[in-house]
Amino acid sequence: MTIFFDDRPVRIVRTNQLSAAETSRFEHIVDLRLEKLQRSMLTGHVLFLNSTTTSAIQVIQMLEKEFPKEMLSITMATREKAEVEDRIKAQYKVIKAAGGVVVKEGKWLFMYRRKMWDLPKGKLDKGENSKVAATREIEEETGVKALIRDKICTTWHTYTLNNSRILKRTKWYLFDCIDDSKMSPQAEEQIEKLDWYEPAEVKPLLIKSYSSIRYVIDSLNKIHNLKES
């Protein structure tokens, strides 16, 4: 589970999922069995070993109270992954959304919205499942008809709405374009531009995008590389 706070990732992983190569990229590694959690630890890329539900909630509360500008990412390694995730979700009102990457002749559909490059997505309607919602949102926001192919990943991010703490879950899918003859940006959603880009052309766009969108594209590239190997 990866949750984005102020566009910065907090990952919950099983302790046995961490590789030696992965742990080498952290600037700080803190064993919470040996050290007491402190706000000063939330700097750079930090790994917390032996995380518990209690320490996870403490970290979330620190981030919610006053976001540390020096923090780049947090990874919490735990033997209680499901319990930690459930406890975090219980702190919020969870809203479900879905979206996707649409492919046409090897190119990916991106949109320019609110001065950022983005992917089509939106909240689930009542009684709607994620696959149906993603398909509907793509057509509403872009005018493109698309057929779902595979699941890419799930992202989570937090925000405040009407004084309520929201945790938004977005399921992302890979789509094949069926018909883009009526492709048009949805003005009421403040979408200014739509276009198809080769995967190699996407990297410059991602510089002016959200960390969660970069995570989706990174996940998609990993899936593609696995299928190629």
Side-chain angles (χ1 to χ4, degrees):
M1 181 183 193
T2 300
I3 310 171
F4 290 89
F5 289 83
D6 198 28
D7 208 35
R8 294 169 205 184
V10 175
R11 292 197 309 149
I12 314 299
V13 301
R14 291 186 180 87
T15 302
N16 59 10
Q17 287 180 324
L18 287 170
S19 65
E22 188 177 9
T23 55
S24 65
R25 74 177 181 85
F26 294 104
E27 294 158 8
H28 308 287
I29 299 178
V30 180
D31 188 339
L32 293 177
R33 283 183 181 167
L34 304 177
E35 298 183 63
K36 184 178 179 181
L37 178 63
Q38 298 179 48
R39 184 178 180 80
S40 59
M41 296 173 175
L42 306 183
T43 60
H45 298 285
V46 58
L47 168 63
F48 289 115
L49 298 173
N50 294 306
S51 300
T52 63
T53 54
T54 300
S55 57
I57 294 305
Q58 288 175 335
V59 168
I60 299 305
Q61 289 173 342
M62 288 178 182
L63 296 177
E64 292 279 4
K65 185 175 182 180
E66 184 181 351
F67 194 87
K69 295 179 181 178
E70 304 82 9
M71 190 205 99
L72 298 176
S73 74
I74 294 173
T75 297
M76 305 198 74
T78 178
R79 291 180 174 85
E80 309 165 2
K81 185 173 182 288
E83 293 88 342
V84 169
E85 291 177 353
D86 287 345
R87 185 74 181 277
I88 291 173
K89 292 174 191 175
Q91 306 300 304
Y92 297 89
K93 176 182 179 181
V94 176
I95 289 179
K96 298 176 181 179
V101 179
V102 185
V103 181
K104 177 190 175 185
E105 298 174 354
K107 295 184 177 182
W108 297 345
L109 180 62
F110 267 78
M111 60 171 59
Y112 192 66
R113 167 166 48 190
R114 302 185 186 103
K115 310 303 178 186
M116 300 287 276
W117 288 101
D118 205 348
L119 294 168
K121 64 184 181 300
K123 296 175 186 175
L124 273 63
D125 287 342
K126 188 175 182 180
E128 196 174 38
N129 67 41
S130 296
K131 292 181 179 180
V132 171
T135 306
R136 173 184 55 75
E137 284 291 340
I138 287 168
E139 185 166 1
E140 287 180 359
E141 292 193 336
T142 72
V144 173
K145 293 183 182 292
L147 180 67
I148 200 163
R149 190 198 305 178
D150 292 309
K151 171 84 180 289
I152 300 174
C153 64
T154 300
T155 59
W156 303 78
H157 77 270
T158 65
Y159 61 96
T160 300
L161 180 66
N162 299 326
N163 295 319
S164 295
R165 299 166 71 197
I166 306 296
L167 181 62
K168 189 175 183 180
R169 185 204 74 185
T170 306
K171 288 189 176 182
W172 295 94
Y173 300 92
L174 181 63
F175 285 81
D176 289 316
C177 174
I178 299 173
D179 180 9
D180 68 341
S181 61
K182 296 181 180 179
M183 188 168 85
S184 177
Q186 188 179 20
E188 52 265 44
E189 287 295 326
Q190 298 178 295
I191 303 168
E192 299 175 41
K193 179 184 177 182
L194 297 169
D195 212 342
W196 300 98
Y197 294 90
E198 297 278 357
E201 299 172 324
V202 168
K203 188 174 286 188
L205 303 184
L206 295 178
I207 294 171
K208 199 168 185 180
S209 186
Y210 303 98
S211 292
S212 56
I213 299 300
R214 289 188 282 271
Y215 179 87
V216 173
I217 297 303
D218 186 50
S219 299
L220 179 56
N221 283 326
K222 286 177 181 176
I223 293 169
H224 183 263
N225 291 338
L226 283 174
K227 289 182 177 180
E228 289 283 305
S229 61

